[in-house]
Amino acid sequence: MTTDRALYAARERVEQLRAEIAHHDYRYYALDAPEIADATYDQLMQELRRLEEEHPELIAPDSPTQRVGGQPVAAFGVVEHRVPLLSLGNAFSPDDLRAWHRRISALAERDSFAMVCEPKIDGLAVALVYERGKLARGATRGDGRHGEDVTANLRTVRTIPLSVPAADVPPFEVRGEVYLSEKAFEQINNERAEAGQPLFANPRNCAAGSLRQLDPKVTASRPLDIWVYGIGWSDGVLPPGHWEAMQWLQELGFRVNPESARLHTLDAVIERCLAWEEERERLPYDIDGVVVKVDDFALQDRMGAVGREPRWAIAYKFPPKQAHTKLRSIEVNVGRTGSLNPFAMLEPVRVGGTTVKMATLHNEDDIRRKDIRVGDTVIVQRAGDVIPQVVGPVLSLRTGAELPFTMPPRCPSCDAAVVRPPGEAMSYCPNQACPAQRFRLLTHFSSKGAMDIDGVGEALCAALLAAGMVEDAADLYALTKEQLLTLERMGERSAQNVLSAIAASKERPLERVLFALGIRHVGSEVAALLAFHFGSMAAVVRADEEELSAVPGIGPVIARSVREYLGEPRDRLVVEKLGAAGVRLSGGQPARREGSLAGKTFVLTGSMAAYTRGRATALIEGLGGSVGASVTKKTDYLVAGEAPGSKLERARELGVAVLDEEAFRAFLGEHGDVS
Ligand code: IVH
């Protein structure tokens, strides 16, 4: 039995060890300047671990031993931000910066004030609340007002202090950007490629995916990092300006970007922005611009905000990353719906920090419209998102030897004659038995957004098809261990894991199953609408084209495609086999808080990449909200896509909350999990 005195001594030592380890973590992870050898550090950790094992009552969430991640959770809780997280207005040129400066100088009634320039980190925003000097809660930005409670995951981020040296500091909230370095991103993707798992498109997606893991152990295995860039609120007294506040945070052990600079003239600010645009590749992490902030807090208050954008700060955005290279050839691959997708094989070129060898070309019409020819020197672009694109040819470098592209008349995988439905931009391989289609369909079925079957990646799908063990996705459920064991590199344990993962997928909600089937035009959103509206696969099967297209957000093209799919005996059989195998084909929808938008009115303006107006309306209405035609005082949210009209101005005048596409997606995710 432990005596009180022994426990007391242990507690003292534990606290001492934690403080020492926190200090060395900061030196090692944040400053990259360790003071002690790794072995010495390990000894400190070991001693702490031993003491915590002997006295489990001393284990605390802020102990560095807890960085490995705790128990998985079923879903994240929702956190209401005490002070909303704002967004930033954009500047795309020095002139935009000058115009911004003129506007705020008028408000400040002076044109000379200090500004702080910080790299705009391309990661995801988090808010960290410290109470009694300890990390009490960490949340994502969400829609700015409500975020997800990801405390357990944030605790695993080495550069987030679990406690600060001053225990008596009044509660405060630090804000910052969680991100992954380019190197860490590449390493994660390499490992995923080897394991046959889908790759992350860029460091930001990878960071977001890592932070929003229900199992904190997964988060702990990813070397996430943070740069803090502000204080959300504080119950104590703050320094007079942003720069000093950042210094204070740094003293408390937070990671403040050393690239930041306090400058005193607009010219110096513009010079800094242009310099970073040139130097962005020097940084080991992705930045997509520079954030310029008025330093003085009193001035910030005087300038205030318009809508959800403060006037005292602006994001100078870099143009998308582009490069020139040679287009070696145009290849075609076969998608899961049989679509023939042309893509460019390029002479490898560095674009925005990564080497690009391939780029999408969308479809035949697009290639023709842009007049892209094989042999052209082309402009390749990597925008904020994902897959590199070919913007167009550099016409001045044409030699005359370039060759226009035509879609092959036969499927490159099975040699079936290609068809192009009237009115569609895509050509298709109509052969349902096409090996390439089967492979894509199967990998799609088991992929993360679909049935999410861990371990059934590209390599295993290919092996299963080659061995004739499966012909369609439903056959996965009939696989036996004996069969799996005959495959190369498949041991007892992995076979069991694969079977367990397949069995677990039977419980996926209906919308996932609908998406997983790979019906042409049925992406995850349409699948969610169908599941939400019909509630069961049987009801979808019964619905005719008219009933299908009566669902808000579903048009005649989708309705026809669903009917065609279900009218095809072979596809219909897959659905029936899934039911017979015990896959749940009704209900089981994710925790959609129906009516969670009840009473809220939205107005839509501009265009969004991922949502048509009809679909956005359907999603909002599906959750009980309503969509109005014009912005009034009663409007709760304006959803503003690209090229928004005067509604945006109006919303700003009235102080109506504005959601851009990203915020809208996050918002739907939080309110209904349908995006
Ligand atoms: S300040 C009102 N500083 O950019 C000030 N944001 O478009 C709001 N970001 O949501 C943020 N680096 O996620 C600020 N140094 C930085 C930043 C930064 C990246 C992100 C942040 C924010 C978004 C605004």
Side-chain angles (χ1 to χ4, degrees):
M1 229 189 82
T2 322
T3 62
D4 281 356
R5 187 174 299 167
L7 181 62
Y8 182 78
R11 173 169 292 134
E12 288 246 296
R13 179 66 186 144
V14 159
E15 268 160 25
Q16 198 179 14
L17 282 166
R18 284 181 190 157
E20 254 180 71
I21 291 169
H23 169 77
H24 292 303
D25 275 346
Y26 180 67
R27 299 285 315 184
Y28 184 90
Y29 291 107
L31 302 183
D32 203 9
E35 289 171 341
I36 55 171
D38 288 1
T40 319
Y41 177 88
D42 292 345
Q43 274 167 12
L44 296 175
M45 273 302 255
Q46 260 166 23
E47 186 184 348
L48 177 60
R49 241 182 242 122
R50 185 177 52 74
L51 284 169
E52 287 181 354
E53 260 164 41
E54 282 167 15
H55 309 277
E57 61 271 50
L58 295 181
I59 297 177
D62 67 318
S63 173
T65 57
Q66 304 302 301
R67 296 255 198 213
V68 290
Q71 290 303 309
V73 292
F76 298 119
V78 174
V79 169
E80 179 162 1
H81 296 300
R82 183 159 135 190
V83 176
L85 277 77
L86 300 174
S87 8
L88 288 172
N90 292 327
F92 297 101
S93 64
D95 275 350
D96 287 353
L97 284 173
R98 286 193 192 95
W100 167 73
H101 195 261
R102 260 198 310 279
R103 286 196 303 275
I104 59 169
S105 299
L107 288 168
E109 293 173 354
R110 53 194 249 217
D111 59 7
S112 160
F113 42 80
M115 286 164 279
V116 178
C117 289
E118 297 169 352
K120 185 168 186 299
I121 313 296
D122 203 5
L124 69 157
V126 295
L128 310 167
V129 175
Y130 285 78
E131 285 166 2
R132 284 183 288 281
K134 293 194 163 118
L135 174 62
R137 197 168 46 257
T140 61
R141 175 180 194 277
D143 64 1
R145 294 198 176 143
H146 303 93
E148 281 173 326
D149 185 341
V150 286
T151 315
N153 293 349
L154 286 168
R155 282 195 212 287
T156 71
V157 178
R158 304 274 162 178
T159 38
I160 294 181
L162 298 172
S163 58
V164 296
D168 53 351
V169 59
F172 63 99
E173 187 202 77
V174 185
R175 293 181 178 173
E177 197 86 347
V178 167
Y179 70 96
L180 268 172
S181 68
E182 290 261 1
K183 209 163 121 201
F185 161 71
E186 272 166 30
Q187 194 177 334
I188 291 170
N189 258 358
N190 287 342
E191 284 164 12
R192 289 174 76 83
E194 269 170 36
Q197 292 169 320
L199 302 187
F200 286 109
N202 54 35
R204 178 166 47 92
N205 289 7
C206 187
S210 305
L211 189 60
R212 299 184 67 253
Q213 279 288 337
L214 294 174
D215 183 355
K217 291 205 172 55
V218 178
T219 313
S221 74
R222 311 258 170 89
L224 289 168
D225 227 322
I226 191 168
W227 290 120
V228 301
Y229 56 64
I231 295 177
W233 50 264
S234 163
D235 288 346
V237 183
L238 283 181
H242 180 70
W243 185 254
E244 281 99 348
M246 290 297 102
Q247 283 183 331
W248 177 66
L249 288 179
Q250 181 151 24
E251 278 157 26
L252 288 184
F254 291 95
R255 199 152 170 263
V256 175
N257 199 324
E259 300 282 340
S260 306
R262 177 161 59 175
L263 303 167
H264 295 271
T265 64
L266 178 63
D267 285 341
V269 166
I270 291 174
E271 200 179 306
R272 192 81 290 255
C273 289
L274 296 175
W276 266 328
E277 197 170 321
E278 289 292 313
E279 296 168 21
R280 63 196 290 198
E281 310 305 345
R282 170 174 68 79
L283 300 175
Y285 44 86
D286 269 359
I287 65 172
D288 57 350
V290 180
V291 184
V292 186
K293 299 172 183 174
V294 171
D295 186 33
D296 186 332
F297 284 148
L299 260 189
Q300 286 188 3
D301 285 344
R302 183 141 22 123
M303 293 171 184
V306 200
R308 308 187 68 183
E309 292 171 4
R311 289 200 187 87
W312 49 264
I314 194 156
Y316 174 79
K317 293 290 264 292
F318 297 150
K321 308 170 196 178
Q322 293 189 335
H324 284 189
T325 190
K326 265 259 184 311
L327 173 60
R328 284 180 173 164
S329 64
I330 296 180
E331 313 281 332
V332 172
N333 71 28
V334 186
R336 63 171 188 268
T337 59
S339 60
L340 297 189
N341 311 310
F343 63 95
M345 292 300 297
L346 305 163
E347 228 153 71
V349 62
R350 299 280 292 173
V351 190
T354 49
T355 302
V356 173
K357 289 182 238 146
M358 281 192 269
T360 87
L361 286 168
H362 305 291
N363 56 52
E364 200 178 355
D365 290 353
D366 199 48
I367 298 172
R368 198 155 301 140
R369 205 177 44 240
K370 293 178 179 159
D371 189 21
I372 297 168
R373 302 183 191 179
V374 174
D376 265 335
T377 299
V378 290
I379 303 165
V380 182
Q381 172 170 306
R382 246 189 51 180
D385 55 355
V386 281
I387 315 165
Q389 294 173 333
V390 175
V391 180
V394 184
L395 292 175
S396 58
L397 296 177
R398 280 238 165 111
T399 62
E402 297 78 10
L403 294 173
F405 169 75
T406 44
M407 195 50 99
R410 310 199 77 86
C411 170
S413 168
C414 70
D415 208 38
V418 163
V419 293
R420 182 163 165 186
E424 285 208 27
M426 298 305 272
S427 299
Y428 294 89
C429 162
N431 172 19
Q432 290 227 327
C434 168
Q437 259 184 73
R438 281 201 175 163
F439 171 68
R440 298 259 168 221
L441 210 49
L442 195 61
T443 50
H444 165 71
F445 184 85
S446 60
S447 68
K448 200 140 187 84
M451 299 300 267
D452 193 7
I453 311 180
D454 220 17
V456 184
E458 293 199 352
L460 185 56
C461 288
L464 291 171
L465 286 165
M469 289 179 196
V470 302
E471 292 206 351
D472 59 43
D475 293 337
L476 287 174
Y477 297 93
L479 284 172
T480 64
K481 196 191 252 180
E482 291 66 39
Q483 279 180 309
L484 288 175
L485 285 174
T486 63
L487 297 174
E488 237 177 85
R489 283 202 298 276
M490 179 66 75
E492 184 80 24
R493 194 154 147 182
S494 4
Q496 189 49 53
N497 287 345
V498 165
L499 289 178
S500 309
I502 293 174
S505 75
K506 291 182 184 174
E507 292 304 312
R508 300 282 176 261
L510 177 61
E511 61 180 84
R512 298 277 206 109
V513 185
L514 278 165
F515 173 55
L517 291 174
I519 306 171
R520 202 177 286 176
H521 303 303
V522 179
S524 53
E525 265 172 55
V526 171
L529 291 174
L530 289 171
F532 181 60
H533 188 88
F534 291 101
S536 74
M537 185 68 84
V540 180
V541 171
R542 273 197 306 272
D544 60 19
E545 234 175 283
E546 210 175 315
E547 285 170 82
L548 284 164
S549 48
V551 177
I554 294 192
V557 176
I558 301 174
R560 187 165 333 118
S561 172
V562 173
R563 276 313 332 151
E564 270 170 16
Y565 178 90
L566 293 168
E568 187 66 53
R570 207 181 173 122
D571 291 329
R572 184 69 170 271
L573 183 66
V574 175
V575 176
E576 278 158 21
K577 276 162 68 182
L578 288 174
V583 174
R584 181 154 65 166
L585 296 180
S586 64
Q589 294 183 22
R592 186 197 309 273
R593 271 160 294 135
E594 266 159 53
S596 60
L597 297 184
K600 299 277 181 228
T601 60
F602 291 73
V603 172
L604 308 172
T605 182
S607 62
M608 292 189 274
Y611 305 89
T612 58
R613 201 162 275 241
R615 207 173 282 175
T617 305
L619 289 166
I620 292 166
E621 289 177 354
L623 293 168
S626 61
V627 178
S630 55
V631 178
T632 69
K633 269 193 293 206
K634 297 220 174 77
T635 308
D636 293 293
Y637 297 97
L638 177 74
V639 181
E642 285 294 306
S646 58
K647 288 177 189 166
L648 182 59
E649 291 293 305
R650 183 84 184 122
R652 289 193 172 145
E653 274 165 36
L654 295 174
V656 169
V658 178
L659 303 174
D660 61 13
E661 178 165 353
E662 205 180 315
F664 179 58
R665 179 186 298 283
F667 190 88
L668 288 176
E670 269 144 32
H671 289 264
D673 202 19
V674 286
S675 64

